[in-house]
Amino acid sequence: MKRTHYEIFWEILTFCRTPRSFTSIINRCNLNSKIGQTHLDFLKQRHFLVEVENGGMTLLKSTAQASEYIALFNKTYRRLFDDTPEFRL
């Protein structure tokens, strides 16, 4: 089953609750770099992700605004599928 943009956004935001590198996000969420960059740019424009500096590296972290999206997505997903969304392993 193909993931929707909403599911991909949820995966990124959930994974980025702690600061993560671009590469780790792309690998964990199983995205190619072009599509991943598009999704990350979208989330940054909406202030759901922010860049943070850590030891000379630029990492991405979910914002407080993202918490509302994550909660609403989880609630909607559970109502539709009687289950919680999961990362693919």
Side-chain angles (χ1 to χ4, degrees):
M1 184 163 109
K2 189 174 178 178
R3 294 177 294 171
T4 67
H5 291 289
Y6 303 109
E7 289 170 301
I8 295 169
F9 294 146
W10 173 83
E11 285 185 30
I12 292 169
L13 295 172
T14 300
F15 185 60
C16 291
R17 285 181 173 162
T18 58
R20 306 290 183 164
S21 70
F22 173 82
T23 303
S24 66
I25 296 166
I26 297 307
N27 290 335
R28 181 64 179 94
C29 297
N30 196 24
L31 302 168
N32 70 42
S33 58
K34 183 178 178 182
I35 290 173
Q37 189 63 59
T38 301
H39 282 74
L40 296 175
D41 289 343
F42 178 86
L43 291 169
K44 285 191 282 186
Q45 288 171 357
R46 302 304 184 282
H47 307 287
F48 284 8
L49 278 180
V50 292
E51 293 181 351
V52 294
E53 291 295 321
N54 185 0
M57 288 184 61
T58 301
L59 305 176
L60 295 163
K61 183 175 182 350
S62 300
T63 65
Q65 277 182 258
S67 298
E68 183 180 351
Y69 175 84
I70 292 168
L72 290 171
F73 181 86
N74 283 333
K75 181 179 177 182
T76 302
Y77 196 94
R78 280 194 308 271
R79 282 195 170 167
L80 287 171
F81 300 108
D82 297 324
D83 199 3
T84 57
E86 301 288 332
F87 282 118
R88 289 189 295 193
L89 300 176

